[in-house]
Amino acid sequence: MAPLKLGMVGGGQGAFIGGVHRMAARLDGCFDLVAGAFSSDAARAHASAAELGIDADRSYADFSEMAQAEAARADGIDAVSIVTPNHLHGPIAEAFLTQGISVICDKPMTATLEQAESLTAAAEASKGHFFLTHNYTGYPMIRQARQMVADGALGAIRIVEADYLQDWLSHAPDADNKQAKWRLDAAQSGGGAIGDIGTHAYNLACFVSGLRTSSLSATLTSHVAGRLVDDDARITLQFDGGARGHIWASQVAIGNENNLTLAVYGEKGSLRWAQENPNVLWFAKLGQAPQMITRGGAAASLAAAAVTRIPAGHPEGYLEAFATLYREAAEVITNQGKSGAIIGIEDGLDGVRFVDACQRSSRDGASWIDLR
Amino acid sequence: MAPLKLGMVGGGQGAFIGGVHRMAARLDGCFDLVAGAFSSDAARAHASAAELGIDADRSYADFSEMAQAEAARADGIDAVSIVTPNHLHGPIAEAFLTQGISVICDKPMTATLEQAESLTAAAEASKGHFFLTHNYTGYPMIRQARQMVADGALGAIRIVEADYLQDWLSHAPDADNKQAKWRLDAAQSGGGAIGDIGTHAYNLACFVSGLRTSSLSATLTSHVAGRLVDDDARITLQFDGGARGHIWASQVAIGNENNLTLAVYGEKGSLRWAQENPNVLWFAKLGQAPQMITRGGAAASLAAAAVTRIPAGHPEGYLEAFATLYREAAEVITNQGKSGAIIGIEDGLDGVRFVDACQRSSRDGASWIDLR
Amino acid sequence: MAPLKLGMVGGGQGAFIGGVHRMAARLDGCFDLVAGAFSSDAARAHASAAELGIDADRSYADFSEMAQAEAARADGIDAVSIVTPNHLHGPIAEAFLTQGISVICDKPMTATLEQAESLTAAAEASKGHFFLTHNYTGYPMIRQARQMVADGALGAIRIVEADYLQDWLSHAPDADNKQAKWRLDAAQSGGGAIGDIGTHAYNLACFVSGLRTSSLSATLTSHVAGRLVDDDARITLQFDGGARGHIWASQVAIGNENNLTLAVYGEKGSLRWAQENPNVLWFAKLGQAPQMITRGGAAASLAAAAVTRIPAGHPEGYLEAFATLYREAAEVITNQGKSGAIIGIEDGLDGVRFVDACQRSSRDGASWIDLR
Amino acid sequence: MAPLKLGMVGGGQGAFIGGVHRMAARLDGCFDLVAGAFSSDAARAHASAAELGIDADRSYADFSEMAQAEAARADGIDAVSIVTPNHLHGPIAEAFLTQGISVICDKPMTATLEQAESLTAAAEASKGHFFLTHNYTGYPMIRQARQMVADGALGAIRIVEADYLQDWLSHAPDADNKQAKWRLDAAQSGGGAIGDIGTHAYNLACFVSGLRTSSLSATLTSHVAGRLVDDDARITLQFDGGARGHIWASQVAIGNENNLTLAVYGEKGSLRWAQENPNVLWFAKLGQAPQMITRGGAAASLAAAAVTRIPAGHPEGYLEAFATLYREAAEVITNQGKSGAIIGIEDGLDGVRFVDACQRSSRDGASWIDLR
């Protein structure tokens, strides 16, 4: 198919995740980046646009203006990527959805539950689609794990453990660390480790297990003096049907880079996966030797094959998984159908409710919060 | 030195841990097994004794009789190993301590807190020593980890994570599984996963970190229908000084054999270790490439070297670690001095208090229990 | 910079490596694919072109015609990717180089030494550049390894071991396996495992060590009945200066997917790397604990950082390494300068000489062949 | 059974392997050490004997005297362990075999082929047994691998790769390094890496594959200036029936401790094993996900179970594997039967022939040497 036309809000010079979204959008040739509001500072916005080869007349300093102008063009964008700090996700997404333009939004969906609920209403009213980039769901072995659980390979699920460990905030960051600055400001981020990486772990646990949370208990901690948001979070989940989930998200666990791991234990077997070596999925059945399933290998499933680009033994990585979400978004936008694997507005709302409940639980001594 | 004379209570035909203690006692040549009450069934006891080459006049069917008879002999035993189900540890240990005979006791120390307190009083009154075989503390890399923490290599400790995962009780065991039977009977074991393996994880966390617990919150679960003890335990520890600890002990985590892992995170660095490949210790300092420290290797410490038998790259295992506890017990008995690494009566009492507090917390909805 | 215009020869429907080259060319936005001769069958060529969004007037069925036509256009291609079976690399590359169009060619450079020498002359006479896609040289940790060796971190090199193990040709393939068919036909491939993967291992050994081969001894074997090319190759290299190299390339080593590993041992230290988990480089100095260097991590070098797209712990894979070669080719074409890491015509000639020498040595009972 | 009475020659103060043999002999309670000639220096011999608790009248300074005296005693030793430098193995073993006393001898069997042939004749004439401690054959997963190959799980074997890498001789050792000194003296050792560790790798390759060598080609190298024996050896084996073997033994591979690995590739599947984590065996069948077989785990075979002491997940190590050889020797001595897994005089002779052939081949430019 011909590439869709993509805009971007945020992601200008000095940003990290904007460049990731651009590479992901480009890898499979499904999107051409043609417009952007790369910064709220006009000079920076236009400088970034020029660097990225965007025509000057489609470089904007204001997202509202961009949404209106692009909606008015015959060759206007089909979708917009939102890669700003969290507190801006909601207003920006609403501006584009209101114009009927599909939105591909970085996580967490919003910084507050109020924003999330408002955005949910806007998404439901829009002819545009809403996609949330919980990018780890794009890994082929995660798709395989999800299919195996759904197919009953593990039997009834008993325990889900999802941990996401980093160490980059083990100390107070340098004042000029742009990535750290807004994340450590609750007004911009909505939370610390819980929002930045805890939501990823939570989403992954639910995506693979297919379980829904009935209640949770959380302890959010800050280990660095003077820090106003959490940098370590421990959550116990009670799922509908009786299974238990456990999440540990930490940004002070020295020796960990992006050590996101998932383990799912059922009555008949288990699955284990680690993001830093993502082409491998461990499958153990009770009373049998554990098996190492590889992406593209002999035991790879259809669900994995559908999002696999290259043969076994040649590793696919983070950008490929991210690109899969862009490709699937393009398919939905084009076909007006929804892939079963899409992370959308309901998952986004669920994630923000999760953060909110964790914060309330933790403030109340790890009390149990009902999510139903 | 000449070998000490050892007796044993429990560990007859069909037992598992008795054989382990015998190999551990023998490996370094510190003990000769010369007496035993290998079963409370006289015929079985004597049959086991004969198999083990024990003189018939030192084969007993009753531990009280054995304690008195051995104490009365000029060539009586120097120490007794207790390898019975948990509920008998206390009475047997008291019987020998009362006779001034040192005790090497399997863990947990007792099945109830009342027994533990009684035994503690008996140990304090005895001229014999009391040793508890938390055998994982005998691994050289655990000794190194403990020394590194004490030396400040990690800075102030923030987080300790100790997990012990097994899968052998994922389903109801066969009726003739002797190992499972008494462990699943609370009257004999005092608890399920929490007592059998949770105490190991807890002991290891404290042994390496040097931290003491001020309070805890626990959730004990049973995943198998009809099971009356826990098979999965999650505990949060609040240590004196502010560090947090987390323990996960499970006997239903399919794909895990004896997957005991320890991670200690401090302000400056971290240590990670896994029992199933115990000759390696991972050390990460913030801002440096992680290092793989090996038993006997270039970065091994004096604490590790003191309990290392063979050069680097030739693995030492479970029996060697266990044997180290026997060797150190022999040194204490002989020298009348106490090694710093000895796990003794206070650790045993601490472990039983831990189990008791976990059970109370879990019954009360994971409430926080004060241990001070 | 604005993307360069790229053509492609080969890589139509059903091909594997063509798609890899297209993703690699696209990832960093350095190339737009605008022309192609995707098959020598006109109907297939045009169907592939249409699928890929190539204008019909730039879809060719004949590479010579394409070279002339593109050279004549004002908006003609800046470079062409050659992704055909090996025996066509030479003629096609010469056709484009003769027209002054740069060539990005899959490996091995040619199927025969005669072709390689002819192509070398053509490349020297052309204003176009020649790039050979020994894609494994694009991995950041390989760049770091190369820099560390050059900086003397290992001291004088003693031993280089490069192994590339696969299992996909363990048995005679299905008749319709297009990838296998031409590779097992010596007339098209020029050789079996030695040409297909042995050249990769050889190139990597030389690229990282900086050593040049003075002589070699090789044993090429075919383990599958009726197979006319080698499927297992063992080569001993004598390097200038006294170091030894060893290469093992096999396509019948069951359990291996693309298990390319490199180890370099020097007087002071060693480096080890494995392609299937390529973001890690092991560095051991004599008398110190081995270090795990990670892409993007604390110990990553400038050479690695220059080809790194995303932070540590988020894996980059095969396509990213491949894309780095495309990006660097674009830089050379644009800047008219040559990056030190570029694999070019001399490396290609060296690789074909290597294959030729291995085949002669093996036919002669593993005799030593002089390469100087 | 009652322990057998064991003597030892060599292994006095400052020795390494003597202590290993003593622990191995003791672990399963099959032997009591009651006599020894621990040094040829009488004072050192008697001091060592006293330390080890040997009666003074059974401490000897001369092995011939010991053999005669022990043979004459009613309570004389049943077997003697020989743990001297290699060049003494032959004469000592002959002295005891001539007296009808069984011999447990460290490897390689002798320092010269002449000694090996003489000893073979002596062993055949003796009522005593001869056991060679190729200790790696005692690992349970090696027994399982051997059984799986014999049972046809891999189909016909194509390739065997056995590598043994160390780094402790990367430089000239200190003058007082007793272990290094005799090993680097060809008169005492009979060879360098080839004899010390190459024979282990060779024995393991043959033990597991069940193949016999028809011819070989070897390159022995010395990387350290002034060293008179090899420190790096590469050998290609041609087995009867057409399979190939490859051995790499190095003592200058920095970053390796005792990195002995074995891979066996057959028509249907493969096995891989590494000594430094010996409780795991990787089994891959073509077209299936690779399996991780663990000692004591669900897929462990009878052959593994027969030499397994403790349950899965509690690692057994080097001493346990060594002890298995002692236990099996005791069974043979007692039962007058021969276990199929015993490494005896023919394996010892085969190993010395292997070393001799490697040395001749290497001196002759890696020429092929016929072993039939």
Side-chain angles (χ1 to χ4, degrees):
Chain A
M1 65 188 181
L4 297 176
K5 293 178 287 297
L6 183 68
M8 181 170 278
V9 179
Q13 294 167 330
F16 152 61
I17 201 70
V20 166
H21 278 254
R22 287 190 293 268
M23 287 186 277
R26 201 159 49 214
L27 182 68
D28 291 325
C30 301
F31 289 96
D32 278 344
L33 182 67
V34 297
F38 297 103
S39 173
S40 55
D41 176 287
R44 292 177 64 120
H46 299 319
S48 293
E51 272 184 15
L52 293 167
I54 305 295
D55 286 349
D57 71 328
R58 299 181 83 171
S59 170
Y60 307 88
D62 180 90
F63 68 82
S64 302
E65 181 198 332
M66 175 176 166
Q68 289 169 10
E70 288 293 325
R73 293 178 70 112
D75 65 347
I77 57 175
D78 299 297
V80 67
S81 295
I82 303 177
V83 291
T84 63
N86 303 343
H87 67 307
L88 298 173
H89 291 177
I92 299 169
E94 289 194 40
F96 284 87
L97 286 169
T98 301
Q99 298 293 340
I101 296 172
S102 292
V103 166
I104 300 168
C105 184
D106 212 79
K107 46 47 59 186
M109 188 165 82
T110 61
T112 68
L113 185 51
E114 189 177 16
Q115 287 176 324
E117 287 167 348
S118 171
L119 176 54
T120 301
E124 285 166 2
S126 172
K127 71 181 175 68
H129 298 276
F130 181 84
F131 308 97
L132 193 68
T133 54
H134 275 303
N135 50 287
Y136 304 110
T137 63
Y139 278 114
M141 290 296 94
I142 288 298
R143 296 294 173 94
Q144 171 137 2
R146 174 179 156 100
Q147 180 180 354
M148 290 176 73
V149 171
D151 289 351
L154 308 196
I157 302 306
R158 289 172 166 173
I159 303 166
V160 183
E161 174 84 36
D163 296 347
Y164 197 149
L165 306 185
Q166 300 179 328
D167 68 5
W168 70 297
L169 293 174
S170 292
H171 292 282
D174 293 340
D176 62 350
N177 184 330
K178 186 175 169 180
Q179 297 306 318
K181 199 175 180 182
W182 71 258
R183 280 180 173 82
L184 295 175
D185 174 2
Q188 292 186 70
S189 63
I194 186 66
D196 201 35
I197 56 176
T199 47
H200 270 312
Y202 174 72
N203 175 267
L204 197 65
C206 296
F207 181 80
V208 169
S209 72
L211 296 171
R212 293 174 56 85
T213 313
S214 53
S215 59
L216 65 74
S217 160
T219 302
L220 310 186
T221 310
S222 182
H223 286 278
V224 175
R227 183 167 290 170
L228 299 177
V229 297
D230 64 286
D231 51 28
D232 191 275
R234 295 270 184 167
I235 302 103
T236 302
L237 304 168
Q238 182 69 46
F239 291 116
D240 290 349
R244 289 273 174 148
H246 296 270
I247 288 170
W248 179 20
S250 184
Q251 295 175 319
V252 298
I254 293 177
N256 293 281
E257 295 177 339
N258 278 286
N259 189 12
L260 169 62
T261 55
L262 178 71
V264 184
Y265 293 102
E267 287 183 347
K268 294 163 55 181
S270 71
L271 291 168
R272 284 182 278 184
W273 179 84
Q275 191 272 149
E276 296 192 355
N277 194 9
N279 296 283
V280 172
L281 177 68
W282 286 95
F283 176 40
K285 292 181 76 168
L286 190 63
Q288 296 188 14
Q291 297 175 45
M292 189 180 79
I293 299 174
T294 57
R295 187 194 52 76
S301 69
L302 290 176
V307 295
T308 289
R309 289 167 186 79
I310 53 175
H314 279 141
E316 293 195 37
Y318 172 84
L319 291 174
E320 288 84 345
F322 221 118
T324 290
L325 269 59
Y326 266 87
R327 188 171 68 195
E328 293 180 334
E331 290 166 0
V332 170
I333 294 171
T334 307
N335 300 339
Q336 305 301 319
K338 291 228 177 196
S339 146
I342 294 295
I343 305 295
I345 196 80
E346 287 179 20
D347 304 282
L349 179 59
D350 189 48
V352 178
R353 280 184 179 146
F354 164 78
V355 172
D356 177 76
C358 288
Q359 291 171 332
R360 285 189 289 137
S361 170
S362 187
R363 279 195 300 268
D364 191 34
S367 64
W368 282 90
I369 305 287
D370 202 333
L371 287 173
R372 283 283 165 271
Chain B
M1 64 186 181
L4 297 177
K5 292 177 288 298
L6 183 68
M8 179 169 281
V9 179
Q13 293 167 330
F16 152 61
I17 202 68
V20 166
H21 278 255
R22 287 191 292 267
M23 286 186 277
R26 198 158 53 213
L27 182 68
D28 291 324
C30 301
F31 289 95
D32 278 344
L33 181 68
V34 297
F38 297 104
S39 172
S40 54
D41 175 288
R44 291 177 64 120
H46 298 319
S48 294
E51 272 184 16
L52 294 167
I54 305 296
D55 286 350
D57 71 328
R58 298 181 83 170
S59 170
Y60 308 87
D62 180 273
F63 68 82
S64 301
E65 181 199 331
M66 175 177 167
Q68 289 169 10
E70 289 293 325
R73 291 178 72 112
D75 65 348
I77 57 174
D78 299 295
V80 67
S81 296
I82 303 176
V83 291
T84 63
N86 303 342
H87 67 307
L88 298 173
H89 291 177
I92 298 170
E94 289 194 41
F96 284 88
L97 287 169
T98 301
Q99 298 292 343
I101 296 172
S102 291
V103 167
I104 300 170
C105 184
D106 211 79
K107 46 48 59 187
M109 188 166 82
T110 61
T112 68
L113 185 53
E114 189 177 15
Q115 287 177 324
E117 287 168 348
S118 172
L119 176 55
T120 301
E124 283 166 3
S126 172
K127 72 181 174 67
H129 298 275
F130 181 85
F131 308 97
L132 192 68
T133 53
H134 274 303
N135 50 287
Y136 304 110
T137 63
Y139 277 115
M141 290 295 95
I142 288 297
R143 296 294 172 93
Q144 171 136 2
R146 174 179 154 102
Q147 181 180 352
M148 289 177 72
V149 171
D151 289 351
L154 309 195
I157 302 307
R158 290 172 166 174
I159 302 166
V160 183
E161 174 83 34
D163 296 347
Y164 197 148
L165 306 186
Q166 300 179 329
D167 67 5
W168 71 296
L169 292 173
S170 292
H171 292 282
D174 294 339
D176 62 349
N177 185 329
K178 184 174 170 180
Q179 296 308 317
K181 198 172 180 183
W182 69 259
R183 281 179 172 82
L184 295 175
D185 173 3
Q188 291 185 70
S189 63
I194 187 65
D196 201 35
I197 56 176
T199 46
H200 270 312
Y202 174 73
N203 175 267
L204 197 65
C206 297
F207 181 79
V208 170
S209 72
L211 296 171
R212 293 174 55 86
T213 312
S214 54
S215 58
L216 64 76
S217 161
T219 302
L220 310 187
T221 310
S222 182
H223 286 277
V224 175
R227 184 167 289 168
L228 298 177
V229 298
D230 64 286
D231 51 29
D232 191 276
R234 295 270 185 167
I235 303 103
T236 302
L237 304 168
Q238 183 68 46
F239 290 116
D240 291 350
R244 289 273 174 149
H246 295 270
I247 288 170
W248 179 20
S250 183
Q251 294 175 319
V252 297
I254 293 177
N256 292 281
E257 294 177 338
N258 279 287
N259 189 12
L260 170 62
T261 55
L262 179 71
V264 184
Y265 294 102
E267 286 183 348
K268 295 163 55 181
S270 72
L271 290 169
R272 284 183 278 185
W273 178 85
Q275 191 271 149
E276 295 192 356
N277 194 8
N279 295 283
V280 172
L281 178 68
W282 287 94
F283 176 40
K285 292 181 74 168
L286 190 63
Q288 297 188 13
Q291 296 175 46
M292 190 179 80
I293 300 174
T294 57
R295 186 194 53 76
S301 69
L302 289 176
V307 294
T308 288
R309 288 166 187 79
I310 53 176
H314 279 140
E316 293 195 38
Y318 172 86
L319 291 174
E320 287 85 344
F322 221 118
T324 290
L325 268 59
Y326 267 87
R327 188 172 67 196
E328 293 180 335
E331 290 166 359
V332 169
I333 293 170
T334 308
N335 300 340
Q336 306 301 319
K338 290 229 178 196
S339 147
I342 294 295
I343 306 294
I345 196 81
E346 287 179 20
D347 304 281
L349 179 59
D350 190 47
V352 178
R353 280 184 178 147
F354 163 79
V355 172
D356 177 75
C358 287
Q359 291 171 331
R360 285 189 289 135
S361 170
S362 186
R363 279 194 300 267
D364 190 35
S367 65
W368 283 90
I369 304 288
D370 201 336
L371 287 173
R372 283 283 167 273
Chain C
M1 64 187 182
L4 297 177
K5 291 177 289 298
L6 183 67
M8 180 169 279
V9 179
Q13 294 167 330
F16 152 61
I17 200 71
V20 166
H21 278 255
R22 288 191 292 269
M23 287 186 277
R26 201 159 49 214
L27 182 68
D28 290 326
C30 301
F31 288 96
D32 278 343
L33 181 67
V34 297
F38 298 102
S39 173
S40 55
D41 174 288
R44 290 178 63 119
H46 300 318
S48 292
E51 272 184 15
L52 294 167
I54 305 296
D55 286 350
D57 71 326
R58 300 181 82 169
S59 171
Y60 308 89
D62 180 89
F63 68 81
S64 302
E65 183 198 331
M66 176 176 165
Q68 289 169 11
E70 289 293 326
R73 293 177 70 113
D75 64 347
I77 57 173
D78 299 296
V80 67
S81 295
I82 303 177
V83 291
T84 64
N86 303 342
H87 67 307
L88 298 174
H89 291 177
I92 298 170
E94 289 194 40
F96 284 86
L97 287 169
T98 301
Q99 297 293 342
I101 296 172
S102 291
V103 167
I104 299 168
C105 184
D106 212 81
K107 45 48 58 187
M109 188 165 81
T110 61
T112 69
L113 185 51
E114 190 178 15
Q115 287 177 324
E117 287 167 348
S118 173
L119 177 54
T120 301
E124 284 167 3
S126 172
K127 71 180 175 65
H129 298 276
F130 181 85
F131 308 96
L132 193 68
T133 53
H134 274 303
N135 50 286
Y136 304 111
T137 63
Y139 277 115
M141 291 296 95
I142 287 297
R143 296 294 173 93
Q144 171 135 3
R146 176 178 153 100
Q147 181 180 350
M148 289 177 73
V149 172
D151 289 351
L154 309 196
I157 302 306
R158 290 172 166 173
I159 302 166
V160 183
E161 174 84 35
D163 296 347
Y164 196 149
L165 306 185
Q166 300 179 328
D167 67 5
W168 70 297
L169 293 174
S170 292
H171 293 282
D174 294 339
D176 62 349
N177 185 329
K178 186 175 170 181
Q179 297 306 320
K181 198 172 181 186
W182 72 258
R183 281 179 171 83
L184 295 175
D185 174 3
Q188 292 185 70
S189 63
I194 186 67
D196 201 36
I197 57 175
T199 46
H200 270 312
Y202 175 71
N203 174 266
L204 196 66
C206 296
F207 181 80
V208 169
S209 72
L211 295 171
R212 291 174 56 85
T213 312
S214 53
S215 60
L216 64 76
S217 161
T219 301
L220 310 186
T221 309
S222 182
H223 286 278
V224 175
R227 183 166 291 170
L228 299 177
V229 297
D230 64 285
D231 53 27
D232 191 276
R234 294 270 185 167
I235 303 103
T236 303
L237 305 168
Q238 183 68 46
F239 291 115
D240 291 349
R244 289 273 174 148
H246 296 270
I247 288 171
W248 179 20
S250 184
Q251 295 175 318
V252 298
I254 293 178
N256 293 281
E257 295 178 338
N258 279 287
N259 189 11
L260 170 62
T261 56
L262 179 72
V264 184
Y265 294 103
E267 287 183 348
K268 295 164 53 181
S270 71
L271 290 170
R272 285 182 278 184
W273 178 84
Q275 191 271 150
E276 295 192 356
N277 193 9
N279 295 284
V280 171
L281 177 67
W282 286 95
F283 176 41
K285 293 181 75 167
L286 191 62
Q288 297 187 13
Q291 297 175 45
M292 188 179 81
I293 299 174
T294 57
R295 187 193 52 76
S301 70
L302 289 177
V307 295
T308 289
R309 289 165 186 79
I310 52 175
H314 279 140
E316 293 197 37
Y318 173 84
L319 291 174
E320 287 83 347
F322 222 118
T324 291
L325 268 60
Y326 268 86
R327 189 171 68 196
E328 293 180 334
E331 290 166 0
V332 169
I333 292 170
T334 307
N335 301 338
Q336 306 300 320
K338 290 229 180 197
S339 146
I342 294 295
I343 305 296
I345 196 80
E346 287 180 20
D347 304 281
L349 179 58
D350 190 47
V352 178
R353 280 184 178 144
F354 164 79
V355 171
D356 177 75
C358 288
Q359 291 171 332
R360 286 190 288 137
S361 170
S362 186
R363 279 194 299 268
D364 192 34
S367 65
W368 283 91
I369 304 288
D370 202 334
L371 286 173
R372 282 283 165 272
Chain D
M1 66 187 180
L4 297 177
K5 292 178 288 297
L6 183 68
M8 180 170 279
V9 180
Q13 292 167 331
F16 152 61
I17 201 70
V20 166
H21 278 254
R22 288 191 291 268
M23 286 187 277
R26 199 158 50 212
L27 182 69
D28 291 325
C30 301
F31 288 96
D32 277 343
L33 181 67
V34 298
F38 298 103
S39 172
S40 55
D41 175 287
R44 291 177 63 119
H46 299 319
S48 295
E51 272 184 15
L52 293 166
I54 305 295
D55 286 349
D57 71 327
R58 298 182 83 170
S59 170
Y60 307 88
D62 179 89
F63 68 82
S64 302
E65 181 198 333
M66 175 176 166
Q68 289 169 9
E70 289 293 325
R73 292 176 71 112
D75 65 349
I77 55 174
D78 300 294
V80 67
S81 295
I82 304 177
V83 291
T84 63
N86 304 341
H87 67 306
L88 299 174
H89 292 176
I92 298 169
E94 289 194 39
F96 284 86
L97 286 169
T98 301
Q99 298 293 341
I101 296 173
S102 292
V103 167
I104 299 169
C105 184
D106 212 78
K107 45 47 60 188
M109 188 166 81
T110 61
T112 69
L113 184 52
E114 190 178 15
Q115 288 177 323
E117 288 167 347
S118 172
L119 176 53
T120 300
E124 284 166 2
S126 172
K127 70 179 176 67
H129 298 276
F130 180 85
F131 308 96
L132 193 69
T133 53
H134 275 304
N135 50 288
Y136 304 111
T137 64
Y139 278 114
M141 290 296 95
I142 288 298
R143 297 293 173 95
Q144 171 136 1
R146 174 179 157 100
Q147 181 180 352
M148 289 176 74
V149 171
D151 289 350
L154 310 195
I157 302 306
R158 290 172 165 173
I159 303 165
V160 183
E161 174 84 35
D163 296 347
Y164 196 148
L165 306 186
Q166 299 179 328
D167 67 4
W168 72 296
L169 292 174
S170 292
H171 292 282
D174 294 340
D176 61 349
N177 184 329
K178 185 175 171 182
Q179 297 307 318
K181 199 173 181 183
W182 70 259
R183 282 180 172 81
L184 295 174
D185 174 3
Q188 292 186 71
S189 63
I194 187 65
D196 201 35
I197 56 176
T199 47
H200 271 310
Y202 174 73
N203 175 266
L204 197 65
C206 297
F207 181 80
V208 169
S209 72
L211 296 171
R212 291 175 56 86
T213 312
S214 54
S215 60
L216 64 75
S217 162
T219 302
L220 310 186
T221 310
S222 182
H223 287 277
V224 175
R227 183 167 291 170
L228 299 177
V229 297
D230 65 285
D231 52 28
D232 190 275
R234 295 269 186 169
I235 302 103
T236 302
L237 305 169
Q238 183 68 47
F239 290 115
D240 291 349
R244 289 272 173 146
H246 296 270
I247 288 170
W248 179 19
S250 184
Q251 294 174 319
V252 297
I254 294 177
N256 292 282
E257 295 178 339
N258 278 289
N259 189 12
L260 169 62
T261 56
L262 178 71
V264 184
Y265 294 102
E267 287 183 347
K268 294 163 55 180
S270 71
L271 290 169
R272 284 182 277 184
W273 178 83
Q275 191 270 149
E276 296 192 356
N277 194 8
N279 295 285
V280 172
L281 178 67
W282 286 95
F283 176 40
K285 292 181 75 168
L286 191 63
Q288 297 188 12
Q291 297 175 45
M292 189 179 81
I293 299 173
T294 57
R295 186 193 53 75
S301 69
L302 289 176
V307 294
T308 289
R309 289 167 186 79
I310 52 176
H314 279 141
E316 292 195 37
Y318 172 86
L319 290 174
E320 287 85 346
F322 221 119
T324 290
L325 268 59
Y326 266 87
R327 188 172 65 195
E328 293 180 334
E331 289 167 0
V332 169
I333 293 171
T334 307
N335 300 339
Q336 305 302 318
K338 288 229 179 195
S339 147
I342 294 295
I343 305 295
I345 195 81
E346 288 180 20
D347 304 281
L349 179 58
D350 189 48
V352 178
R353 280 184 177 144
F354 164 78
V355 172
D356 177 75
C358 288
Q359 291 171 333
R360 286 188 290 136
S361 170
S362 186
R363 279 194 300 268
D364 191 33
S367 64
W368 283 89
I369 304 288
D370 202 335
L371 287 173
R372 283 282 165 273

